[in-house]
Amino acid sequence: MKNFSYIQPTTLDDALRATDTSEQFDILAGGTTMVDLLKLDAIAPERIIDISRIASLEGYTFDDENLRFGALARMSDVGDDKTLAQICPALTESLWKAASSQLRHAARLGGNILQRTRCPYFRETHYACNKRNPGSGCAALDGGDTGLHAILGGSEQCVAMYPGDWAQALIAFDAVVTVVSSKGTRLIEFADLHVPPGDTPDIETTLKEGEIVTQISVPVSAAMKGSHYLKARERESYAFASASAAVGVLEDGGVITEARIALGGVASIPWRAREAEEYLEGVRLDEASAFETGRIAFSEANPLEGSAYKIKLGASVVAGALLTAQKRARQEG
Amino acid sequence: MPADSDLDSRPALSRRSFLTNTAIAGGATAVGLKTRVVYADDIKNNDDGLIADDTLPKVQLTVNGQKRTLAVEPRTTLVEALRDTLGLTGTKIGCNHGQCGACTVLLDGRSVNACLVLALSIDGSDVTTVEGLSDPVGNLHPMQSAFAEHDAFQCGYCTPGQILSAISCIEEGHASTSDEIREYMSGNLCRCGAYPNIVAAIESVRDAKVEG
Ligand SMILES: Cc1cc2nc3c(=O)[nH]c(=O)nc-3n(C[C@H](O)[C@H](O)[C@H](O)COP(=O)(O)OP(=O)(O)OC[C@H]3O[C@@H](n4cnc5c(N)ncnc54)[C@H](O)[C@@H]3O)c2cc1C
Ligand code: SF4
Ligand code: FES
Ligand code: FES
């Protein structure tokens, strides 16, 4: 790991001032992605701005209209929150099923949504990687191990998978992100935060240089009660998703009136399966229609040899998640 | 002087003046009050090529109840500070990337992977390692005794981390069923496969607590 200048601001103001520099910098929150990648030399910033002690970004609050999460709230605290589990189980389940208890204690929500891909060739600097080193090629597409790569939203330059879990619940429920820079504050729809690789895999988000995420907020909606996050992994726990789904359903008179479906472990960015949602709305949800919805969610998939298994697995995960969500939606109270 | 400075002293790097009087002198100031600034190129080598400790920033930690002041590089991780600087080698390094849990310690009461924490980032914090679990006269912590009684290890390499996670598991109320224990403890790998006995040890401490 190369050494770096290190600034630990205790106010957002000081953090923004620290971004006003000619040194190439990265933000550090809980450090569980950052320190990992620093050790690998996959990133080597000249300056680190450690925002983990800006107390004003730690809290989270719920009211009838919005669930608001400070960018420095911990995955563990929010994942364990009983009130949130009542309001929207998919939001707590997707945190609880991520990483490990130690990582969730350290990691913050802002860092969580901005975690980097686990593509092994991005992590190891001796491989060609258009994301880490634009123009160098892509070791995964050159016939590497592609078991954990994207089958949706990839490009000819990069098929890295977005590995996070919580983001799927956020995109399913129309979250909005507040970002602040020295130029002011703006809101970004969560669905517009991440960008697919296209010809520029090194550009992963629509954040501009010097912008800091301060809050993630999710509008309360009726389909939250009937929500679920289902995650299939290579082992029972402590593994990234092979395929996952965050779903929410609302039923009326036996048919689905609102469906929200997002896919994890399969796409280059947090992925909302809009066509699958449209199919399900107005339909009676049973095992057959659940699997049909799953099939539609992957109809545009473009897998490599190693990632082809995700189509069938992912469709089943969508189906399973929907049937559990339906049971929840039907529960009284 | 330690490497703490303030951005005002670097017009070339910081085009705007700010942070007057906000640099921490020596890093020992109360936590959470002041913005800390450390420049990489303020850290100098001695003639022998080794880093000159007096140019390093300092971090104050309460480790197992004792206040310790350490000189660290910005890139020094907590597990390195514990093992290499303080000589507390009970905390192990397995993967060094957050994937195994051998380096688990309690940071302000919460279990974390010490290999992914920058020492400088936790100035003023409380750290508990396996060395700090027994009482002053050497009686083992109930979780340590339970691991011994239940044969919850073979080679013992993962054990310090397992024990700290296990304590955290009970503290946080996530030990109600063996499935919940397994899920909570999944961040601690054991290549000897002592898992069933680890779960049994945790259950016994949980049950003793309920009865006691
Ligand atoms: C072994 C292992 C297993 C894991 N398993 C899972 C898993 O199963 N599911 C899962 O979802 N995650 C998993 N993770 C990833 C983990 O959840 C993330 O590393 C963590 O959430 C990142 O949060 P952090 O606060 O530590 O971020 P950091 O590492 O501090 O930062 C992450 C990124 O976000 C940027 N950043 C952070 N905060 C802000 C902000 N407020 N504004 C702007 N930029 C910001 C940083 O510059 C950096 O690029 C795993 C990690 C490891 C090491
Ligand atoms: S898939 Fe993307 S991240 Fe992985 S090697 Fe190719 S370009 Fe790099
Ligand atoms: S050494 Fe820290 S998790 Fe493996
Ligand atoms: S006892 Fe050997 S690794 Fe766990």
Side-chain angles (χ1 to χ4, degrees):
Chain A
M1 193 193 313
K2 297 191 183 63
N3 244 331
F4 40 79
S5 296
Y6 173 84
I7 300 182
Q8 187 180 55
T10 50
T11 64
L12 186 56
D13 238 28
D14 275 359
L16 295 177
R17 285 166 180 164
T19 66
D20 186 7
T21 172
S22 57
E23 283 183 315
Q24 188 271 313
F25 65 87
D26 273 326
I27 305 287
L28 179 132
T32 60
T33 290
M34 284 290 292
V35 178
D36 180 29
L37 294 177
L38 284 166
K39 286 183 185 187
L40 293 164
D41 290 326
I43 56 171
E46 294 166 323
R47 166 181 294 198
I48 281 189
I49 304 173
D50 172 3
I51 62 169
S52 65
R53 285 204 164 150
I54 303 177
S56 61
L57 304 182
E58 281 174 7
Y60 56 94
T61 58
F62 311 136
D63 62 32
D64 291 346
E65 273 157 31
N66 280 293
L67 314 174
R68 294 193 175 85
F69 304 95
L72 292 178
R74 289 173 201 267
M75 286 175 77
S76 53
D77 290 343
V78 175
D80 252 358
D81 192 278
K82 302 279 179 300
T83 310
L84 183 61
Q86 290 286 320
I87 301 171
C88 184
L91 278 170
T92 50
E93 287 165 341
S94 53
L95 285 170
W96 179 244
K97 293 229 184 300
S100 66
S101 52
Q102 298 98 309
L103 290 160
R104 293 191 296 269
H105 284 147
R108 313 304 182 92
L109 297 182
N112 180 270
I113 61 175
L114 293 168
Q115 65 180 281
R116 310 287 304 274
T117 184
R118 303 292 296 192
C119 172
Y121 311 108
F122 169 72
R123 294 168 59 81
E124 294 292 342
T125 53
H126 49 273
Y127 287 105
C129 171
N130 287 327
K131 187 185 279 301
R132 177 169 33 71
N133 185 9
S136 63
C138 168
L141 285 164
D142 285 350
D145 178 359
T146 51
L148 288 174
H149 287 78
I151 62 172
L152 291 163
S155 72
E156 305 271 289
Q157 324 302 330
C158 175
V159 287
M161 175 189 105
Y162 175 81
D165 294 299
W166 201 49
Q168 314 312 335
L170 292 179
I171 198 169
F173 287 98
D174 299 321
V176 176
V177 175
T178 308
V179 301
V180 176
S181 71
S182 50
K183 299 190 184 70
T185 300
R186 67 185 182 111
L187 299 178
I188 309 175
E189 299 279 340
F190 188 76
D192 296 330
L193 179 63
H194 295 83
V195 289
D199 289 332
T200 51
D202 53 316
I203 300 173
E204 296 178 352
T205 70
T206 51
L207 291 179
K208 300 190 188 102
E209 166 116 340
E211 282 187 325
I212 294 177
V213 172
T214 55
Q215 194 183 74
I216 301 137
S217 90
V218 192
V220 173
S221 64
M224 280 183 164
K225 185 173 157 266
S227 72
H228 182 45
Y229 185 71
L230 183 60
K231 180 175 178 183
R233 296 176 264 194
E234 278 185 2
R235 57 185 181 201
E236 178 79 18
S237 178
Y238 195 26
F240 288 93
S242 300
S244 71
V247 306
V249 295
L250 199 60
E251 264 185 328
D252 192 21
V255 298
I256 298 296
T257 54
E258 185 180 327
R260 294 165 179 268
I261 301 169
L263 310 177
V266 294
S268 59
I269 53 174
W271 195 267
R272 185 98 179 244
R274 299 268 182 195
E275 274 180 39
E277 291 176 358
E278 275 161 32
Y279 160 77
L280 191 58
E281 282 168 3
V283 167
R284 189 171 295 274
L285 176 57
D286 54 23
E287 208 163 291
S289 63
F291 274 94
E292 178 60 8
T293 309
R295 193 194 61 75
I296 293 169
F298 288 90
S299 54
E300 311 268 286
N302 188 12
L304 297 163
E305 203 183 328
S307 51
Y309 73 96
K310 287 176 186 280
I311 296 182
K312 208 167 165 197
L313 178 65
S316 308
V317 166
V318 167
L322 285 170
L323 294 170
T324 301
Q326 181 185 43
K327 280 193 200 121
R328 287 187 179 159
R330 286 176 176 179
Q331 268 160 23
E332 298 292 317
Chain B
M1 272 305 286
D4 283 282
S5 54
D6 68 61
L7 291 183
D8 280 341
S9 62
R10 295 299 181 92
L13 295 181
S14 164
R15 276 162 279 131
R16 248 192 302 160
S17 261
F18 85 109
L19 298 180
T20 328
N21 296 328
T22 54
I24 298 174
T29 320
V31 174
L33 294 174
K34 295 191 171 179
T35 288
R36 177 169 216 168
V37 181
V38 175
Y39 286 107
D41 57 8
D42 281 342
I43 298 169
K44 307 274 193 252
N45 283 357
N46 285 325
D47 293 343
D48 59 8
L50 297 176
I51 289 174
D53 273 359
D54 58 351
T55 67
L56 289 176
K58 302 228 164 28
V59 55
Q60 194 179 78
L61 300 174
T62 303
V63 180
N64 300 329
Q66 271 184 299
K67 280 220 159 88
R68 309 292 295 258
T69 302
L70 291 70
V72 295
E73 292 183 76
R75 64 184 166 186
T76 304
T77 59
L78 176 57
V79 73
E80 291 164 347
L82 290 169
R83 292 177 55 87
D84 304 341
T85 313
L86 295 178
L88 292 170
T89 53
T91 307
K92 304 301 180 202
I93 298 179
C95 65
N96 221 358
H97 285 280
Q99 299 173 1
C100 77
C103 65
T104 304
V105 299
L106 302 183
L107 174 61
D108 294 325
R110 296 177 156 103
S111 61
V112 298
N113 307 95
C115 69
L116 294 184
V117 175
L118 295 179
L120 208 47
S121 73
I122 56 162
D123 192 23
S125 292
D126 209 271
V127 178
T128 304
T129 70
V130 71
E131 288 93 343
L133 292 179
S134 57
D135 71 13
V137 293
N139 292 314
L140 294 181
H141 184 284
M143 192 62 77
Q144 290 175 301
S145 307
F147 267 62
E149 276 157 30
H150 290 268
D151 237 347
F153 46 81
Q154 287 177 41
C155 77
Y157 197 81
C158 70
T159 312
Q162 298 279 4
I163 289 177
L164 287 154
S165 280
I167 290 171
S168 179
C169 178
I170 294 209
E171 283 291 308
E172 290 188 11
H174 283 303
S176 47
T177 62
S178 63
D179 278 350
E180 196 184 18
I181 293 171
R182 282 172 194 282
E183 175 66 48
Y184 190 94
M185 294 293 294
S186 69
N188 292 82
L189 305 190
C190 174
R191 60 93 61 214
C192 300
Y195 299 111
N197 296 4
I198 292 171
V199 174
I202 297 173
E203 286 176 328
S204 77
V205 174
R206 174 201 66 199
D207 296 342
K209 245 192 157 160
V210 174
E211 286 156 22

